Amino acid sequence: MASLTDLTITQLGAALAKKETSAVEVADAHLAKLDEHRALNAFITETPEKARAMAAASDARRAKGEAGLLEGIPLAIKDLFCTEGVQTTAASHILEGFVPQYESTVTTNLWKSGAVMVGKTNLDEFAMGSSNMTSHFGGVENPWKRRGDNRKLVPGGSSGGSAAAVAAYMVPGSTGTDTGGSIRQPASFCGIVGLKPTYGRCSRWGVVAFASSLDQPGPFARTVEDTALLLQAMAGHDPKDSTSAPLALPDFVAAARNPDIKGLRVGIPREYRVDGTSPEIEALWTRGMEMLKAAGAVSVEVSLPHTKYALPAYYIVAPAECSSNLARYDGVRFGLRVPGKDLAEMYQNTRGAGFGKEVRRRIMIGTYVLSAGYYDAYYKKAQQIRSLIARDFNQAFEKCDVLLTPTAPTAAFAAGEKMDDPVTMYLNDMFTIPASMAGLPGISVPAGLDKDGLPLGLQLIGRAFDEETMLRAAAALEKAAAFASRPAGY
Ligand code: GLN
């Protein structure tokens, strides 16, 4: 058998079912990788003892014939999901030392299906960013490097730790959250699969809130089928989240195992051909469409005319929601407290010391656009634009069944490049944000390498609550692209 850490979730599941290995052995093999690659800084908190105890309990369940969907599979959890008894920081100083007394619904679902937690992964502070450089606990290093260039690259963000951990074979799968691209963009940068479900598919209960009308948990793995397996376990209606969809779950795994796309209409949105996209990514996009056509799909040009307004509207809606969500961090209830001469000064001191620069910038923008004099001019306008963006997609989906686009305008960049100007950083999400604004599902599939040997992903966007068609197309793309590269040394 190949080394345990090289196996996918599906392969590990089969090996465990055949008793070729045990959950404890699988956990130990992955924990050894956490030790080996600690320099990547992918984890904020490692939980080896918990992992071994959960793995032993998993082996005991299996011995009794009670194996769940993810029985014995080690997973890393973005440190934005509350985990009972385990520090949850959102990569912010203000939450350092916060130990939740409850478990998020998504992680509860994962543990119920038998998965084993190895630790909590690093991210951009409160999930705000595209590089993982805004974490209070330091940046994460992408296991990939440019050929012949030893500079450290970012893993993307905000779920960069979760993506790097999967790309570096520390775990076969992990969780992320995606508000404007934070699952799909790091998946593209790290050469793995990242799936953002339809808004409402996975419960947000117990996930530290950034922008509640956009936030959506989802999985990372090295294959499309593995992301489907994870989604199957994570998703489902949750009465504790009022925006959780009261829908039965389709069989995501069956969809991912069926790359039959004969006659599938794949939309190519005209407006996604934008300046600033690398020519290699343009070429890859064309190649991706050719691959889908060779597999029997039909290509259709569609128009999403409000695409160019998606990014500016997002950078009003997301900060607005973050400014109200983050009002709760006041030094009274959670984490950090910096004393002052009175209550107001204590609030100021705590928030001033606890939040990093990007978070403070967004709170200020959000407070401004929600203020009485500017609400109509900014926030209301942005919400109107959001409706137009959703309408664009609805009209496009009359002509096609799924959309194919690049995931990100560039490959991974070096820590330090693009850092000076927040707006350049925001452009990273220009291809992922429109689907987020419309609440639609998206998946990034690794489709090739650029001239420097870095992975590039292609994004498929599906209709609301039609992850099945999206997964089928993703499986076909994965099969045709046959991406088999791995980062040197991992
Ligand atoms: N990069 C985007 C932002 O900074 C998206 C982040 C996310 O999806 N959490 O807001």
Side-chain angles (χ1 to χ4, degrees):
M1 193 166 47
S3 126
L4 289 172
T5 51
D6 280 348
L7 300 184
T8 65
I9 295 176
T10 311
Q11 291 165 339
L12 278 171
L16 284 161
K18 284 192 251 158
K19 309 251 160 68
E20 290 169 2
T21 183
S22 67
V24 169
E25 243 172 52
V26 170
D28 280 333
H30 288 87
L31 290 170
K33 286 280 174 191
L34 263 65
D35 273 341
E36 192 180 334
H37 301 308
R38 193 161 290 121
L40 294 177
N41 203 26
F43 286 82
I44 292 175
T45 306
E46 295 179 13
T47 55
E49 278 154 35
K50 194 174 172 80
R52 290 194 184 99
M54 287 175 91
S58 167
D59 284 331
R61 280 193 301 273
R62 191 180 291 279
K64 282 195 281 171
E66 290 170 6
L69 190 62
L70 296 173
E71 199 58 63
I73 303 297
L75 297 179
I77 303 298
K78 185 178 187 179
D79 202 21
L80 200 64
F81 291 83
C82 287
T83 41
E84 189 182 350
V86 176
Q87 175 181 245
T88 300
T89 66
S92 182
H93 183 40
I94 211 158
L95 274 177
E96 215 173 337
F98 168 56
V99 178
Q101 296 176 13
Y102 43 85
E103 185 80 29
S104 82
T105 297
V106 161
T107 47
T108 301
N109 291 347
L110 288 169
W111 314 145
K112 269 195 203 142
S113 62
V116 168
M117 176 164 90
V118 301
K120 305 287 299 287
T121 57
N122 204 345
L123 63 149
D124 279 303
E125 186 177 0
F126 282 103
M128 297 173 196
S130 310
S131 66
N132 232 284
M133 300 300 288
T134 72
S135 168
H136 172 69
F137 301 93
V140 174
E141 189 184 331
N142 190 329
W144 291 84
K145 287 202 162 73
R146 291 179 185 134
R147 215 177 279 122
D149 181 343
N150 215 24
R151 254 176 314 166
K152 292 180 183 171
L153 303 180
V154 304
S158 66
S159 316
S162 284
V166 172
Y169 296 80
M170 295 154 102
V171 277
S174 59
T175 66
T177 62
D178 190 311
T179 303
S182 282
I183 293 178
R184 292 160 286 166
Q185 186 253 17
S188 178
F189 278 21
C190 291
I192 60 169
V193 184
L195 189 158
K196 171 210 158 340
T198 311
Y199 181 78
R201 191 59 107 176
C202 288
S203 170
R204 292 181 295 106
W205 194 83
V207 182
V208 175
F210 162 14
S212 308
S213 75
L214 295 154
D215 298 343
Q216 181 56 210
F220 287 102
R222 291 190 293 265
T223 66
V224 172
E225 182 180 349
D226 280 2
T227 58
L229 260 167
L230 291 171
L231 179 62
Q232 201 81 49
M234 292 164 72
H237 179 235
D238 177 13
K240 289 193 278 196
D241 170 1
S242 62
T243 60
S244 155
L247 296 173
L249 289 187
D251 190 340
F252 297 124
V253 184
R257 284 185 185 150
N258 172 21
D260 179 5
I261 54 163
K262 274 191 203 66
L264 190 81
R265 297 167 305 163
V266 179
I268 301 288
R270 197 179 301 146
E271 292 77 7
Y272 279 52
R273 301 202 182 281
V274 286
D275 294 344
T277 306
S278 102
E280 285 180 287
I281 289 177
E282 292 268 350
L284 183 76
W285 186 16
T286 308
R287 236 180 14 255
M289 190 61 241
E290 293 306 322
M291 290 179 208
L292 293 178
K293 278 206 270 197
V298 190
S299 120
V300 201
E301 192 178 82
V302 295
S303 174
L304 299 169
H306 296 91
T307 298
K308 66 170 178 293
Y309 304 115
L311 194 91
Y314 170 90
Y315 277 101
I316 290 176
V317 174
E321 293 184 18
C322 110
S323 77
S324 46
N325 273 328
L326 272 56
R328 74 191 69 174
Y329 304 108
D330 55 8
V332 176
R333 286 163 295 183
F334 317 87
L336 182 75
R337 175 180 301 176
V338 181
K341 65 176 185 312
D342 54 19
L343 189 64
E345 196 183 275
M346 188 276 284
Y347 289 163
Q348 284 164 12
N349 291 350
T350 302
R351 289 170 67 83
F355 290 134
K357 202 166 134 197
E358 181 61 26
V359 174
R360 284 195 307 245
R361 171 166 29 238
R362 298 208 190 190
I363 291 174
M364 284 195 286
I365 295 171
T367 310
Y368 179 81
V369 299
L370 288 176
S371 60
Y374 294 99
Y375 181 91
D376 286 349
Y378 294 108
Y379 186 70
K380 199 168 148 209
K381 262 262 141 35
Q383 290 292 21
Q384 288 166 335
I385 290 170
R386 193 169 177 183
S387 305
L388 295 176
I389 291 165
R391 200 179 64 187
D392 283 358
F393 278 108
N394 286 338
Q395 287 170 351
F397 281 126
E398 285 169 13
K399 297 203 191 99
C400 66
D401 305 304
V402 71
L403 295 161
L404 179 73
T405 78
T407 305
T410 64
F413 46 87
E417 286 171 357
K418 291 203 197 190
M419 306 310 251
D420 37 350
D421 171 17
V423 177
T424 320
M425 190 61 90
Y426 295 169
L427 289 177
N428 270 296
D429 298 303
M430 65 186 177
F431 297 134
T432 47
I433 277 177
S436 301
M437 292 292 266
L440 303 176
I443 188 169
S444 179
V445 178
L449 297 178
D450 74 358
K451 61 174 183 338
D452 297 319
L454 293 181
L456 298 172
L458 287 175
Q459 173 181 229
L460 287 153
I461 301 171
R463 291 191 179 95
F465 299 107
D466 186 16
E467 287 89 354
E468 285 173 281
T469 306
M470 182 182 86
L471 281 164
R472 210 150 43 85
L477 183 64
E478 175 182 58
K479 196 171 156 201
F483 183 87
S485 312
R486 48 199 289 172
Y490 293 89

